[in-house]
Amino acid sequence: MVPLNERRSTTASERPLRLAIIGSGPAGFYTAHRLMKKVQNAVVDMYEQLPVPYGLVRFGVAPDHPEVKNCEDTFDMVAASERFNYIGNVKVGQHLRLTDMKPHYDAILFSYGASEDKKLGIPGENLPGVYSAREFVAWYNGLPEFRDLNPDLQFGDHAVIVGQGNVAMDVARILLTPVDDLRKTDISTHALETLSASKIKSVNVVGRRGPLQAAFTIKEARELMRIPDVAFAPIDKSLFPSDLRKLERPPRRIAELLLKGTQHTPEESAKSWALKFLLSPVSMYPHETANLVAGVTFAKQAFAAEADRYSKSARVVPTAETITMPTSLAFRSVGYKSTALPGLSDFGVPFDEKLGIIPNDPHGRVITASSGPGELGAGHVPGLYCAGWVKRGPTGVIASTMSDAFMSADVIASDWESDVPFLNSGRNGNESTGLGWDGVKDAVAQSGTKPVSWEDWKKIDAAERSRGKELGKEREKFTSVEDMLKVLDG
Ligand SMILES: Cc1cc2nc3c(=O)[nH]c(=O)nc-3n(C[C@H](O)[C@H](O)[C@H](O)COP(=O)(O)OP(=O)(O)OC[C@H]3O[C@@H](n4cnc5c(N)ncnc54)[C@H](O)[C@@H]3O)c2cc1C
């Protein structure tokens, strides 16, 4: 591996493609992986705002899904290349300006994910006791920003989750899983302590449409069905066709699972969960005496057309009827949201606030909005590319992020082979200095942050694993940047 401060030599005829990647999640790593394979002399500097890499693989994926984190092995392989530099603890837009990077790179890839969540936009959603699934997930996974979230799981015994995607199912599962089953995972100790004192006994996972339109997948539903002594509240059979054979295989299997439910009823079990359908939240109301949410009011929905109620795309319309669900704990889980990176507009790139993405053509070239959608290469801002959630919106799993990142890498490689202009005008014209990190490190030093190399991360990793070993778990994460950096002092 090349130390951060070592300069590489370049030749005029075969100079390397110098790429900066912003964000060290799956999108960034998979793009680096593919690009470094395709362009033999590509040199990649990967910037990450945190000292530690892997994005949502570390801070999003549920701790009881360790097999999902196997992709880290591939990322480690990428990082072992001497053509790859990891530069952690550097937040682009704060510690380093995009305009300061520009002269030293041929291309920049934006793969900085989605760091905010969508709001419901209803009265009461900011009441104490209402959390976003994003912050709750980040809290149990030890993200420094939310380590002090300290959700109150003791005031009452009900929880309501608005939204029915897999993140909502993760939240429900973590709330209902026996704490002893989580102890060996890399869940943060502060979360284990709070969860072990939790009084939550019943969780309602609420969706605006029906079961055949819900976004969760069968694996997540099955896992909830299998938690010992946790019952599933029987589901309304009228939401399914009387003959399930009318459904395609994937929705049919989900329907069978939900209709079968669990052996025990909620009355017979210590804890329970339910899927509630055709309900759209209109407000959250406060407790009479405590400063806390006391319940959620929903407007009942009806299918717009009776004929297509079993199709994935069925639409619903509000009815005049409302229902309330008393609860002292509520989560909104209606999606993540990307935001503009400071300095993007200096490149003539208007962030698409509506879609929450950087405007891009179907391959991942960043475009100016005026070029219109879908025109190959039209309005391409030279040298700028994107991948992952900031490219296509915050949906999709690691596998789809990988395919998407490969597509971005392929287009960078093919542009590099052709006469397409790059950040500093082109391969043979006005070239970048090719300095990469060496060209910007003084600017980063002035910001006061301390860059973290891959070797540094490996020391943090080893320290976390050894803390975990003492506790009989996979790893015990550091939950503050300060503690992560302390490991490097010795
Ligand atoms: C709660 C949750 C659970 C999930 N569980 C699964 C699962 O079980 N299986 C599965 O396949 N998929 C799962 N996913 C989906 C998967 O995590 C995403 O598809 C994938 O992480 C998206 O990759 P990305 O690289 O676009 O974004 P991210 O993984 O978010 O990576 C973005 C990175 O950019 C960094 N960054 C942000 N801003 C800056 C900046 N200014 N400068 C430098 N760095 C910056 C961030 O710190 C982060 O490390 C889950 C997602 C969530 C939210």
Side-chain angles (χ1 to χ4, degrees), residues 21-29 47-50 52-57 59-62 65 68 90-94 111-115 133-134 137 140-141 143 166-167 170 219-220 336 341-342 387-392 395-401:
I21 291 183
I22 302 173
S24 73
F29 267 109
Y47 293 87
E48 167 56 51
Q49 62 181 349
L50 289 161
V52 295
Y54 310 139
L56 284 170
V57 177
F59 293 116
V61 169
H65 285 171
V68 176
V90 174
K91 182 170 183 175
V92 175
Q94 182 183 322
S111 54
Y112 61 87
S115 57
R134 182 181 72 89
V137 164
Y140 65 61
N141 277 325
L143 181 71
N166 279 339
V167 176
D170 281 354
K219 173 178 178 271
E220 277 64 25
Y336 284 51
L341 194 71
W389 277 17
V390 77
K391 170 182 171 185
R392 60 176 205 278
T395 55
V397 290
I398 293 166
S400 45
T401 301

Side-chain angles (χ1 to χ4, degrees), residues 111-131:
S111 54
Y112 61 87
S115 57
E116 290 195 4
D117 46 90
K118 289 187 188 137
K119 304 272 188 302
L120 297 169
I122 59 171
E125 76 174 305
N126 295 322
L127 280 167
V130 183
Y131 302 93

Side-chain angles (χ1 to χ4, degrees), residues 127-128 284-288 292-296 325-328:
L127 280 167
M284 297 195 178
Y285 56 91
H287 201 274
E288 274 174 11
L292 201 65
V293 67
V296 189
M325 251 179 231
T327 188
S328 59

